[in-house]
C-alpha cells in the first residue's frame, strides 16, 4: 500500500440521503478520499438495470457542509451511477468501490435482484475491487452504529489484499448489538428463493392492479451458507462472481443432438 | 415425454408486440400449449429488476385472432412477467419458459444487463427449464426466419433432456442466412466488457444531461467463447447459472484477518 490515501467511490440503491450510505461515507472518510455518486431516489430491486432509453442527470450536491467528500446525485440506477462515476466524474480509476449500507438483506438469491450488489458487480466488471454492504433491517431508522467497526475492518482487508479479477464481496450484517455480533464468516450463497404472492386490488377507475409481495423460503440446510451465518449471529461474506457460465454443464451439453 | 402437449410460457424484454416474440410464439405453437405474458412496452437493459414500489397491471389481450395462444400484457419488467405468470395466470407450473427472441446480442457480459436473460433466469430460480434467445440484429425489422429452425430444435432438446436445477440456456444467433449458419456451439461467456461514454448535452432549460453510449470490447481470445462462435457463424449456447458464489475463492478468503 502506498502512503497516498486510496480513492473510494461510494454508492447505494436506497438513494443518496439514506442513513445507510451516510454511515458508510462516515467510515470511508476515515480510510480514504471519498467521492459519492448515488441515485437521487430509491432504486431498490433494480438489479443490473441501466438507462439506455432515457436521459440521465448527474449534479454535484452538498449534503453535509462539514464533511470532506465530494457528492453527486444521479437520476439513474445504481449501475448507471458507477458508470457515470468512472467515465465522467472521477479523476482516475478508484482504488475501491463500496455500495450500501443497504437497508435490508441481500443474502442468498437476493443478490440477483439487488441494486446495491449490482453496483458492486458493475465496479468489479470494470476491474475495481468492490464490496456491497447490507444490514438486515429494512427500516429507514435502522441503527448502523454496530456495523461501522466491521465495515471498516473488511474494507481495510480488501485494500490490503486486493480482490482477484472477477470477484466482488457481498457482505450482510445481522441486526444485532455490536457485542452480540460473533464476527465474520466466509459463506456460499444459500439456495433459497421467494414464493411470490400478488395482492390484487381495483383502482378507483375500476381497473385491476397488483402489488408484488412474497415470502422468502430457505430450504438450504447447509451451515456454510450466508443464511446460516446470519441466523447464528455472524456477518456473512460471500465472494460473488459475474461469469455466469455453468462450466460444469458444458461437457454434458456437448452430448445433446443440437445440430441435427 | 408424455403425449400431452407441454405448457410453454413465452416472454421477452422488447415488448409483447415486438417481431422477435411473435416469431418465437409461432415456433412454440408447433410444440406446445402457449401462454404469453410479456411487457406492454420495451424493457431492454432492465437486468433482474422487479417492481416493488409501484403497482402492476396485467391484462389479457388478443394480438392475433387466428393464433391459439393466450396472451397477457404486463406493465412490469421481464422478471415481473415471469412471477405474474407463475403465481397469477398459469393453471400449473409450465414445462418450459422461453424468452425472446431478443432484438440484439446477449452474449458475454451482456447477459447480466439483459431483460431477456433475466426472465429466463427468474424461471430457472422457480425450477422451470428456461432458455433465452437473441438474434444479433437490433433493428425492429430484423429477419427472424433463419432462426426458427434452430430455435425449434434447441427447445425440443430441452424438453426431451430437461435441464439441471440451477441452469438455464443463453442462446445467441448470428445475423446470417439460414444456410450460412454453421450450427450450434456450446460455449462459455466471453470475458468482454463495455467501455462507456456519456454523450453530454444541455436541455432547453439549460440543465446538463447525458446519454449512455459505449463500445463493446472483447479481449478474450478463447475459441470456446460465445463471441468466437458468433463471429465464426455459429449459434452460441452458454449454460448460465444464478449461484453467483465464487466457490474457488472461499478458502483463500478464510485466510484473511477479518475477525481481528
Amino acid at each position: 500500500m502506498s502512503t497516498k490515501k486510496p480513492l473510494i467511490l461510494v454508492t447505494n440503491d436506497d438513494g443518496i440521503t439514506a442513513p445507510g450510505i451516510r454511515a458508510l461515507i462516515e467510515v470511508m472518510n476515515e480510510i480514504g478520499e471519498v467521492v459519492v455518486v448515488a441515485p437521487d431516489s430509491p432504486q431498490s430491486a433494480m438489479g443490473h438495470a441501466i438507462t439506455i432509453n432515457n436521459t440521465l442527470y448527474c449534479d454535484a450536491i452538498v449534503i453535509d457542509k462539514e464533511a470532506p467528500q465530494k457528492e453527486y446525485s444521479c437520476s439513474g440506477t445504481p449501475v448507471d451511477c458507477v458508470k457515470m462515476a468512472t467515465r465522467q466524474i472521477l479523476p482516475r480509476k478508484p482504488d475501491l468501490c463500496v455500495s450500501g449500507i443497504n437497508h435490508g438483506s441481500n443474502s442468498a438469491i437476493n443478490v440477483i435482484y439487488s441494486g446495491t450488489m449490482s453496483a458492486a458487480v458493475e465496479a468489479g466488471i470494470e476491474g475495481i475491487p468492490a464490496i456491497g454492504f447490507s444490514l438486515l433491517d429494512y427500516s429507514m431508522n435502522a441503527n448502523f452504529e454496530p456495523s461501522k467497526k466491521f465495515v471498516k475492518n473488511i474494507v481495510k482487508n480488501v485494500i490490503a489484499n486486493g480482490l482477484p479479477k472477477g470477484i466482488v464481496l457481498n457482505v450482510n450484517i445481522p441486526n444485532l448489538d455490536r457485542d452480540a455480533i460473533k464476527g465474520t464468516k466466509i459463506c456460499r450463497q444459500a439456495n433459497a428463493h421467494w414464493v411470490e404472492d400478488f395482492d390484487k386490488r381495483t383502482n378507483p377507475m375500476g381497473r385491476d392492479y397488483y402489488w408484488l409481495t412474497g415470502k422468502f423460503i430457505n430450504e438450504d440446510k447447509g451451515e456454510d451458507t450466508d443464511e446460516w451465518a446470519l441466523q447464528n449471529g455472524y456477518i456473512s461474506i460471500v465472494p460473488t462472481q459475474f461469469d455466469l457460465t455453468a462450466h460444469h454443464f458444458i461437457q454434458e451439453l456437448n452430448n445433446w443432438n443440437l445440430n441435427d
Side-chain angles (χ1 to χ4, degrees), chain A residues 10-15 18-25 38 98-103 106 115-117 119 131-135 144:
Chain A
V10 181
T11 190
N12 77 340
D13 75 349
D14 292 315
I21 195 171
R22 309 319 300 176
L24 188 55
I25 293 165
V98 289
S99 179
I101 301 172
N102 190 58
H103 293 241
N106 281 315
T116 304
M117 277 307 297
I131 316 167
F133 291 103
S134 306
L135 175 68
F144 291 95

Side-chain angles (χ1 to χ4, degrees), chain A residues 95-125:
Chain A
D95 300 294
L96 182 75
C97 171
V98 289
S99 179
I101 301 172
N102 190 58
H103 293 241
S105 170
N106 281 315
S107 61
I109 196 65
N110 297 308
V111 64
I112 219 164
Y113 302 99
S114 162
T116 304
M117 277 307 297
S118 290
V121 165
E122 179 61 30
I125 292 170

Side-chain angles (χ1 to χ4, degrees), chain A residues 1 30-31 131 151-161:
Chain A
M1 247 181 93
E30 296 170 15
I31 296 176
I131 316 167
V151 167
K152 189 172 177 179
N153 187 28
I154 293 166
V155 166
K156 283 184 146 181
N157 264 273
V158 167
I159 289 174
N161 297 313

Side-chain angles (χ1 to χ4, degrees), chain A residues 61-118:
Chain A
I61 55 163
V62 176
I63 291 175
D64 178 354
K65 275 187 197 166
E66 311 295 313
Q69 74 275 357
K70 284 189 186 152
E71 300 205 44
Y72 299 82
S73 170
C74 176
S75 64
T77 66
V79 173
D80 289 330
C81 289
V82 172
K83 288 181 186 291
M84 186 67 79
T86 56
R87 305 297 173 198
Q88 199 68 29
I89 293 169
L90 295 172
R92 61 181 178 89
K93 191 169 165 174
D95 300 294
L96 182 75
C97 171
V98 289
S99 179
I101 301 172
N102 190 58
H103 293 241
S105 170
N106 281 315
S107 61
I109 196 65
N110 297 308
V111 64
I112 219 164
Y113 302 99
S114 162
T116 304
M117 277 307 297
S118 290

Side-chain angles (χ1 to χ4, degrees), chain A residues 177-196:
Chain A
D177 289 341
R178 184 165 142 170
D179 293 341
I181 295 177
K182 291 183 188 153
T184 61
K185 230 174 160 34
I186 313 301
C187 308
R188 65 173 172 86
Q189 168 187 330
N191 183 12
H193 64 284
W194 286 85
V195 175
E196 278 80 17

